[in-house]
């Protein structure tokens, strides 16, 4: 059985094909789909692609950042307005992978992959979906929970630019800098009068998909970022996580080291 | 930069080196940097077919039924290769030197014994077509209890893994379930030791993960022969193994290898050639059998895991007077080369140290893991890891510098080794001294002055240079164990002064029984490779 | 149903037909006949198959062949100019930066991608440039040294 490739100039048409064709998968960078095709994954019968230029655009307006789903990690690294995201993009594979790996693709990368999606989760991103009637939007948190169902086409993500120095990211890996994550942590830590106000903390490789550490977020509210201040958050660091054993690390190990790395990130020692 | 310490052993050196020490370029380096070094897969053939293998998803199971009818009808499929198609479907790699029983099928028949074991092959016009056809094969299994731990495998009631070796150990000389080394009386020596250090060491299986996976391409030639392009590290070994499994003459095969994209021992097991050749013979067309990366990781043989117990009896002055080693090699489900690794391990005990009482028991154990193979000094490397960790622990226990501890216990020329051979051309002491110098590691004066050529055992009757002469027996008849004195054999090292007198002769060696006679060669063997004396226990003349 | 594609390989126009879903690695090796590109995993994880596409390093095993229509691809086969080796190739030879040689084509292309954009890399730049390429033989140090040597020695820019 051969695979059919369909290329569309307009993203909306690609979305339509994705919804209609049997066994259709959208191909962006290829790190996930081409690997599966190489292995003769029977679930993929049609590859859907788009050459729509809007798909790979970076939009920076006052306070709001929009990333087309086709924006690559390399493009992020080349964008001076997005330096706060550079540690994340740099942690996704080596140079050749970064030329291919996309923002949209990373949303579908199975755990323990998905470091960029983890960062977007901490940035409170929304996902924009193409096709259907008009543009639909969904909070990334919700989207990740149902990403394996249905055949939606992500056209991009959007989020508010974080306050200067409020965004932090670290990735724990055996092979620097490109290895698969043992775990990753992204955090947005806005301050009000020297205290944390409205923290967002997201973990990668600590569950079926990137997830928010809501217990730790609540425990950080109104606290100072010093050893005493973060202690309650560290105590509940692993609440809500469900890491698995895989070839990279065991669930036990991930749970053990999570508070260590969260501590380093919060105290400023663990920047990627 | 390379530095020659010609001052060391200067009187033994013939200093006319021309090539050694000069940089020389690899003959294939230009090929490597231009991408022209030929690996087995760097050929194109019209109408090349692709062989893909159905593998067991279970570690241990009985095959109840196989239905490949849908696969046979799938688009692009040229031929199904079944167990019944394999002319000689039971082999062991070292049958080429008559070592071990044929225990491993090329395609499983009734039982699968490790996850990934081959069951069936499909040859198709593309890899994709072969993979899609594989997905249509229906196999039903009855899962069986499995064992993954070497010591669990040796407990009574453990699942029996290998039909040729039902007790889960390889059999040496068709009789012994392990290799044994005995010298002196270690147990008695432990009773006399000031400190006893008893530790357990473990190395997990290690995957070679060469950048190029295992693979081969067989091309029918015009005169009843087959050309085989292969990634093997061992051309003749693989050729003979493939000829045996295919029941054809060796001269019908023309193996072309040469550039191996990373071997490290993981490309000697001849895992692709036999079935690749069979497929080409059955169809009469070129066939490629190439491991995917997943197959290389799961099914490609790893370095076997090893569990090693080392017990040392040490005196306060730092001398190790006894060493007991019990080691288990995890061979996985089949023998491959682990039987030989165990012999190497036995030959390596107790390491490069003179220890008067040595006791070794080494087992080749079968478990339901991927069969293990050679990797970078197999049989010895893991043992050295264990022994050197043990040496560090011993040094700590007696409060001695770890390098000095090693120098003190090192072999010296003339020492009698546990294998009853005289140590010669020893150089551990000098290596340690130079390493200490380079690392600015302080050594006490007396240790900087020690030498491999001083302080070794004096020649004693019948046991020096001429190894062809059997040593004179120390006692006429063996005294029963109950009447034997339990004084351990000792070699008394004094801390040597610069002009040290010859050491006192050691006490009479303990009574030895004759080694078991080597197995008689099987009549009419088809593979007349020379025997390895280490395998059969005969001495090289 | 095969799709025709045309692209430039090492400066020459090539054209071939590809099956739906064919990757660039298999296309270069088996359709076009450029065996200088090697495959290690077909999963996009080892870097062995690295080529340059419009000057960027890319993993050919996970690149859809037909997405390369009209683009310019460089492989190791195109590095040398007749008898003259590229400075990277000479440097790899001098520094013994290859043993089995299987990762070498991918390493060279990854290094070329770096030097073409940054002729004066730091050691850290070199490490990052090859961090997606696995070598099982050399331990990487000879390769890093070779790339730094090539950068230092390359007085004339190669096009």
């Amino acid at each position: 059985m051969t695979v059919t490739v369909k290329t569309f100039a307009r993203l909306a048409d690609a979305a339509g094909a994705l919804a209609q064709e049997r066994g259709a998968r959208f191909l962006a960078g290829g790190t996930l789909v081409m690997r599966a095709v190489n292995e003769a994954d029977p679930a993929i019968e049609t590859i859907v692609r788009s050459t729509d230029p809007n798909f790979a655009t970076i939009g920076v307006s006052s306070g709001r950042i929009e990333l087309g789903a086709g924006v690559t990690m390399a493009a992020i690294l080349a964008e001076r307005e997005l330096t706060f995201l550079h540690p994340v993009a740099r942690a996704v594979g080596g140079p050749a992978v970064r030329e291919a790996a996309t923002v949209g693709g990373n949303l579908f990368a199975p755990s323990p992959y998905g470091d960029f999606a983890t960062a977007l989760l901490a940035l409170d991103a929304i996902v924009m979906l193409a096709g259907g009637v008009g543009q639909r939007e969904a909070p990334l948190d919700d989207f990740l929970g149902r990403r394996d169902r249905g055949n939606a086409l992500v056209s991009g993500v959007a989020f508010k630019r974080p306050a200067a120095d409020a965004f932090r990211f670290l990735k724990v890996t055996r092979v620097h800098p490109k290895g698969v994550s043992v775990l990753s942590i992204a955090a947005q830590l806005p301050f009000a009068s020297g205290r944390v106000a409205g923290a967002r903390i997201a973990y990668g490789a600590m569950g079926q998909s990137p997830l928010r550490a809501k217990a730790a977020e609540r425990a950080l509210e109104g606290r100072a970022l010093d050893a005493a201040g973060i202690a309650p958050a560290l105590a509940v660091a692993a609440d809500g996580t469900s890491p698995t054993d895989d070839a990279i690390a065991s669930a036990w190990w991930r749970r053990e080291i999570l508070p260590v790395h969260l501590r380093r990130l919060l105290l400023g020692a663990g920047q990627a | 930069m390379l530095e020659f310490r010609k001052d060391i052993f200067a009187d033994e050196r013939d200093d006319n080196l021309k090539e050694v020490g000069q940089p020389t370029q690899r003959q294939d380096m230009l090929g490597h940097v231009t991408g022209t070094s030929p690996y087995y897969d760097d050929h194109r053939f019209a109408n090349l077919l692709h062989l893909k293998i159905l593998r067991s998803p279970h570690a241990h199971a009985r095959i109840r039924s196989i239905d490949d009818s849908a696969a046979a009808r799938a688009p692009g499929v040229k031929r199904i290769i079944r167990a019944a198609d394999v002319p000689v479907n039971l082999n062991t790699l070292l049958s080429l030197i008559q070592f071990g029983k044929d225990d491993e099928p090329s395609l499983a028949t009734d039982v699968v014994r490790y996850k990934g074991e081959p069951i069936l092959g499909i040859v198709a016009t593309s890899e994709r077509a072969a993979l899609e056809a594989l997905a249509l094969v229906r196999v039903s299994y009855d899962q069986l209890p499995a064992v993954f731990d070497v010591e669990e495998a040796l407990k009574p009631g453990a699942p029996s893994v290998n039909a040729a070796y039902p007790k889960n150990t390889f059999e040496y000389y068709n009789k012994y379930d392990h290799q044994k080394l005995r010298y002196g009386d270690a147990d008695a020596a432990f009773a006399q030791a000031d400190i006893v250090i008893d530790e357990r060491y473990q190395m997990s299986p290690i995957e070679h993960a060469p950048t190029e996976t295992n693979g081969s391409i067989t091309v029918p030639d015009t005169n009843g022969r087959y050309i085989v392009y292969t990634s093997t590290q061992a051309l003749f070994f693989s050729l003979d193994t493939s000829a045996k499994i295919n029941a054809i003459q060796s001269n019908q095969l023309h193996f072309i290898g040469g550039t191996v994209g990373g071997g490290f021992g993981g490309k000697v097991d001849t895992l692709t050639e036999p079935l690749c050749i069979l497929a080409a013979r059955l169809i009469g067309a070129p066939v490629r059998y190439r491991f995917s990366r997943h197959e290389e990781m799961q099914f490609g043989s790893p370095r076997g895991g090893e569990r090693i117990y080392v017990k040392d009896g040490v005196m306060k002055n730092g001398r190790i007077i006894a060493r007991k080693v019990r080691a288990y090699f995890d061979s996985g489900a089949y023998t491959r080369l682990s039987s030989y690794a165990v012999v190497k391990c036995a030959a390596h005990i107790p390491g490069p140290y003179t220890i008067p009482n040595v006791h070794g028991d080494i087992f080749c154990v079968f478990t339901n893991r991927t069969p293990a193979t050679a990797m970078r000094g197999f049989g010895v490397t893991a043992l050295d890891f264990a022994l050197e960790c043990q040496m560090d622990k011993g040094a700590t226990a007696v409060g001695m510098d770890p390098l000095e501890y090693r120098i003190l216990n090192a072999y010296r020329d003339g020492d009698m080794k546990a294998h009853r051979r005289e140590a010669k051309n020893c150089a551990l002491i000098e290596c340690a001294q130079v390493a200490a110098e380079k690392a600015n590691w302080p050594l006490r004066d007396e240790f900087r002055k020690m030498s491999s050529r001083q302080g070794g055992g004096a020649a004693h009757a019948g046991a020096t240079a001429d190894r062809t002469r059997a040593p004179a027996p120390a006692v006429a008849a063996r005294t029963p164990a109950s009447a034997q004195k339990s004084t351990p054999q000792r070699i008394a090292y004094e801390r040597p002064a610069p002009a040290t007198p010859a050491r006192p002769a050691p006490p009479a060696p303990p009574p030895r029984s004759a080694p078991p006679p080597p197995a008689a060669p099987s009549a009419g063997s088809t593979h007349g490779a020379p025997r390895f004396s280490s395998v059969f226990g005969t001495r090289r003349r | 149903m095969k799709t025709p594609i045309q692209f430039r390989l090492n400066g020459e126009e090539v054209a071939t037909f590809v099956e739906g879903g064919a990757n660039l690695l298999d296309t270069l090796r088996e359709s076009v006949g450029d065996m200088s590109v090697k495959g290690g995993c077909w999963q996009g994880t080892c870097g062995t198959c690295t080529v340059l596409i419009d000057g960027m390093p890319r993993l050919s095993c996970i690149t859809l062949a037909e997405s390369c229509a009209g683009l310019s691809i460089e492989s190791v086969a195109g590095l040398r100019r007749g008898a003259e080796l590229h400075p990277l190739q000479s440097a790899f030879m001098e520094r013994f930066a290859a043993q089995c040689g299987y990762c070498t084509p991918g390493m060279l292309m990854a290094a070329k991608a770096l030097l073409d954009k940054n002729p004066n890399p730091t050691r850290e730049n070199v490490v990052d440039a090859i961090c997606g390429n696995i070598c099982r033989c050399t331990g990487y140090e000879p390769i890093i040294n070779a790339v730094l040597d090539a950068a230092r020695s390359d007085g004339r820019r190669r096009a």
Side-chain angles (χ1 to χ4, degrees):
Chain A
M1 176 251 298
T2 51
V3 169
T4 309
V5 178
K6 297 198 173 176
T7 307
F8 297 93
R10 292 189 331 129
L11 201 63
D13 297 331
L18 200 62
Q20 284 157 24
E21 299 283 346
R22 208 177 56 157
R25 284 282 290 276
F26 188 83
L27 173 67
T31 58
L32 301 172
V33 172
M34 284 306 291
R35 175 176 173 160
V37 168
N38 289 343
E39 289 165 5
D41 184 342
I44 304 178
E45 298 181 36
T46 307
I47 293 173
V48 176
R49 307 166 56 224
S50 177
T51 51
D52 192 330
N54 296 324
F55 188 53
T57 324
I58 297 176
V60 179
S61 62
S62 54
R64 177 174 159 104
I65 295 169
E66 268 189 42
L67 303 175
V71 170
T72 63
M73 297 297 117
I76 303 262
L77 285 168
E79 178 54 65
R80 270 188 282 248
E81 298 279 346
L82 296 177
T83 46
F84 69 96
L85 279 176
H86 287 183
V88 188
R90 197 173 293 119
V92 178
V97 168
R98 293 180 221 136
E99 291 290 339
T102 60
V103 169
N106 206 260
L107 299 181
F108 293 89
S111 190
Y113 301 96
D115 299 314
F116 202 85
T118 304
L120 290 173
L121 199 53
L123 290 166
D124 254 338
I126 55 152
V127 172
M128 298 174 298
L129 302 164
V133 181
Q135 191 90 310
R136 283 136 48 221
E137 292 188 354
L140 180 56
D141 214 348
D142 290 347
F143 177 82
L144 288 173
R146 53 181 165 85
R147 65 184 178 178
D148 292 328
R149 297 196 292 275
N151 232 356
L153 176 57
V154 176
S155 64
V157 299
F159 51 90
K160 238 173 52 152
R161 175 188 285 283
D165 298 331
F167 180 77
R168 303 183 186 186
F169 173 80
L170 73 73
K171 173 170 172 167
V172 180
T173 171
R174 294 169 189 276
V175 181
H176 297 269
K178 73 168 283 268
V180 185
S181 284
V182 176
L183 60 86
S184 59
I185 310 176
Q188 195 184 169
L189 305 168
F191 276 81
S193 317
R195 302 271 156 162
V196 174
R200 293 286 181 267
I201 301 175
Y203 299 147
M206 292 301 295
Q208 290 286 81
S209 65
L211 50 87
R212 288 262 302 277
K214 294 190 172 158
E217 290 170 357
R218 285 193 294 271
L220 263 187
E221 189 66 15
R223 313 282 297 185
L225 274 189
D226 54 30
I230 68 172
L234 295 185
V236 295
D239 279 17
T241 65
S242 54
T244 52
D245 294 339
D246 60 29
I248 302 300
S250 66
W252 172 84
W253 178 251
R254 288 178 156 117
R255 258 192 296 269
E256 285 294 299
I257 69 170
L258 176 66
V260 174
H261 289 286
L262 181 60
R263 181 176 183 276
R264 290 181 187 172
L265 187 65
L266 294 177
L267 294 183
Q271 293 294 350
Chain B
M1 297 324 304
L2 200 58
E3 179 191 333
F4 283 104
R5 293 297 300 267
K6 296 185 179 179
D7 52 310
I8 301 174
F9 305 125
D11 55 332
E12 293 178 9
R13 189 179 309 282
D14 188 6
D15 198 2
N16 58 357
L17 303 172
K18 282 198 223 137
E19 285 299 326
V20 177
Q22 306 304 319
T24 300
Q25 189 51 271
R26 296 176 61 99
Q27 50 88 18
D28 52 10
M29 188 58 112
L30 183 62
H32 288 354
V33 301
T34 54
T36 56
S37 290
Y39 301 88
Y40 86 89
D41 197 24
D42 292 337
H43 305 278
R44 288 196 292 171
F45 299 99
N47 308 317
L48 178 70
L49 300 175
H50 304 265
L51 171 60
K52 285 287 170 187
I53 299 290
L54 180 74
R55 300 185 181 285
S56 167
H58 303 299
H60 200 193
R62 185 166 302 283
I63 298 174
R64 222 186 313 133
S65 65
I66 303 176
D67 178 7
D68 54 33
S69 50
R73 292 190 305 266
V77 171
K78 289 293 188 193
R79 173 82 199 228
I80 307 238
I81 317 275
R82 302 175 183 91
D85 292 321
V86 184
V88 174
N89 196 26
L90 208 64
N91 183 42
T92 192
L93 290 177
L94 294 178
S95 65
L96 296 183
I97 54 168
Q98 290 111 50
F99 186 39
K101 300 185 228 190
D102 288 338
D103 66 343
E104 180 170 6
S106 296
L107 289 173
T109 51
D110 52 348
V111 176
V112 285
R113 299 184 170 89
Y114 66 96
K115 182 172 168 180
E117 179 158 12
I119 295 170
L120 181 146
I122 297 190
V123 186
T125 50
S126 70
E127 282 206 359
R128 187 180 184 92
L131 290 171
E132 289 178 353
L134 278 181
L136 298 173
V137 180
R138 298 275 161 267
V139 185
S140 64
Y141 303 93
D142 291 323
Q143 289 196 56
L144 298 169
V147 62
F148 301 107
D149 180 276
V150 285
E151 288 183 277
E152 290 299 316
L154 296 182
K155 288 188 179 156
S160 180
V161 174
N162 185 320
Y165 302 100
K167 298 213 189 104
N168 294 339
T169 57
F170 181 83
E171 283 155 31
Y172 293 91
Y173 314 109
N174 294 322
K175 194 171 163 193
Y176 304 104
D177 68 355
H178 66 286
Q179 288 272 303
K180 204 188 267 301
L181 178 65
R182 297 288 186 269
Y183 187 64
D185 187 340
D187 285 325
F190 287 130
Q192 311 233 339
D194 293 328
I195 300 165
V196 172
I197 301 159
D198 198 355
E199 298 283 353
R200 180 184 111 140
Y201 301 91
Q202 172 84 49
M203 265 181 74
S204 295
I206 298 176
E207 167 52 43
H208 310 72
T211 323
E212 174 205 45
T213 62
N214 270 270
S216 54
I217 301 176
T218 304
V219 185
D221 202 356
T222 56
N223 51 356
R225 297 176 81 209
Y226 298 86
I227 301 173
V228 183
Y229 300 93
T230 160
S231 66
T232 188
Q233 295 174 241
L235 279 173
F236 288 100
F237 190 73
S238 294
L239 188 156
D240 282 343
T241 298
S242 301
K244 175 181 171 183
I245 292 173
N246 277 272
I248 59 178
Q249 295 296 306
S250 300
N251 64 11
Q252 285 178 262
L253 294 172
H254 178 183
F255 269 48
I256 298 177
T259 314
V260 183
F264 323 117
K267 287 177 176 160
V268 298
D269 280 11
T270 316
L271 294 175
T272 64
E273 296 90 335
L275 291 177
C276 182
I277 292 165
L278 179 63
R281 290 175 59 222
L282 290 173
I283 301 170
V287 176
R288 180 176 71 193
Y289 177 2
R290 175 172 77 185
F291 278 7
S292 68
R293 180 53 61 181
H294 183 260
E295 283 176 303
E296 188 68 48
M297 292 299 288
Q298 173 71 60
F299 167 66
S301 23
R303 181 201 291 277
E306 297 175 36
R307 180 167 305 147
I308 301 166
Y309 294 88
V310 185
K311 181 175 176 182
D312 283 355
V314 187
M315 304 306 286
K316 277 198 287 261
N317 67 4
R319 279 310 312 283
I320 307 170
I321 61 165
R323 174 164 283 173
K324 190 172 196 177
V325 175
R326 196 169 83 252
Y328 303 93
F329 277 62
D330 192 338
S331 184
Y334 298 108
T335 313
R336 303 268 175 97
L337 301 176
S338 297
S339 50
Y340 169 52
V342 163
V343 173
K344 290 212 291 171
C345 180
H348 197 65
I349 293 170
Y353 307 106
T354 292
I355 297 170
N357 301 283
V358 177
H359 183 293
D361 288 325
I362 308 94
F363 295 79
C364 173
V365 183
F366 298 108
T367 66
N368 292 111
R369 289 175 176 266
T370 305
T373 188
M375 183 177 185
R376 306 308 301 240
F378 79 128
V380 169
T381 332
L383 176 65
D384 273 337
F385 156 70
L387 295 180
E388 292 308 315
C389 289
Q390 187 82 346
M391 292 301 282
D392 284 344
K393 289 177 202 274
T396 305
V398 299
M400 211 172 153
D401 174 275
L403 266 184
E404 293 179 358
Y405 185 71
R406 285 170 169 84
I407 290 171
L408 179 66
N409 287 288
Y411 279 141
R412 286 147 165 85
D413 289 351
D415 281 350
M416 180 53 57
K417 301 202 283 185
H419 306 83
R420 295 166 180 78
R421 297 191 188 197
E422 187 182 311
K424 285 183 174 182
N425 301 317
C426 301
L428 174 59
I429 292 173
E430 287 74 13
C431 284
Q433 290 164 339
V434 173
E437 176 197 313
K438 293 296 172 190
N440 291 319
W441 185 281
L443 288 180
R444 281 179 286 174
D445 241 24
E446 58 190 302
F447 290 91
R448 276 192 286 113
K449 291 188 184 139
M450 286 183 182
S451 157
S452 294
R453 295 195 288 184
Q454 284 175 335
H460 43 269
T464 49
D466 185 0
R467 292 198 302 241
T468 64
R469 250 196 319 172
V475 291
R478 216 169 180 276
T479 48
S482 55
Q484 277 176 357
K485 280 192 298 190
S486 56
T487 322
Q489 177 177 344
R490 283 169 172 269
I491 292 175
Y493 270 173
E494 309 302 318
R495 293 266 176 98
T500 197
R503 294 185 315 140
R512 288 171 43 233
S513 46
S522 49
S525 63
T526 54
H527 300 276
R531 307 244 198 98
F532 289 86
S533 65
S534 62
V535 164
F536 289 99
T538 56
R539 288 171 154 200
R540 250 175 279 194
R541 305 267 145 190
Chain C
M1 186 61 212
K2 294 215 189 194
T3 308
I5 62 167
Q6 190 167 340
F7 51 86
R8 264 188 324 287
L9 176 62
N10 298 323
E12 305 278 331
E13 287 292 331
V14 298
T16 186
F17 287 83
V18 294
E19 296 274 0
N23 62 66
L24 181 63
L25 171 64
D26 290 340
T27 302
L28 287 174
R29 284 180 60 83
E30 295 176 9
S31 301
V32 176
D34 181 358
M35 295 290 180
S36 76
V37 191
K38 308 297 180 192
C41 72
W42 278 263
Q43 294 177 337
T45 58
C46 74
T48 301
C49 67
T50 304
V51 296
L52 302 191
I53 303 182
D54 284 355
M56 300 302 186
R58 292 286 299 277
L59 302 178
S60 56
C61 74
I62 52 166
T63 301
L64 185 69
E66 64 181 85
S67 74
C68 301
L71 302 183
S72 174
I73 299 176
E74 295 170 70
S75 71
V76 165
L79 272 190
R80 69 190 302 187
R81 300 288 170 84
E84 189 190 335
L85 294 178
H86 189 283
L88 277 168
Q89 291 173 305
S90 309
F92 268 56
M93 290 188 71
E94 275 152 42
R95 284 287 191 165
F96 298 94
Q99 290 183 27
C100 85
Y102 203 72
C103 77
T104 308
M107 286 285 183
L108 285 168
M109 300 321 291
K112 180 174 194 287
L114 170 72
L115 294 187
D116 285 352
K117 294 262 164 11
N118 178 0
N120 245 324
T122 62
R123 191 177 190 280
E124 204 182 272
N125 295 147
V126 175
V127 169
D128 182 69
I130 65 166
C131 77
N133 292 72
I134 291 181
C135 173
R136 294 291 289 151
C137 298
T138 66
Y140 301 97
E141 285 304 310
I143 296 172
I144 295 166
N145 293 332
V147 178
L148 290 170
D149 277 1
R152 280 188 282 266
S153 78
D154 191 10
R156 338 146 254 125
R157 285 295 304 276
R158 288 179 62 110

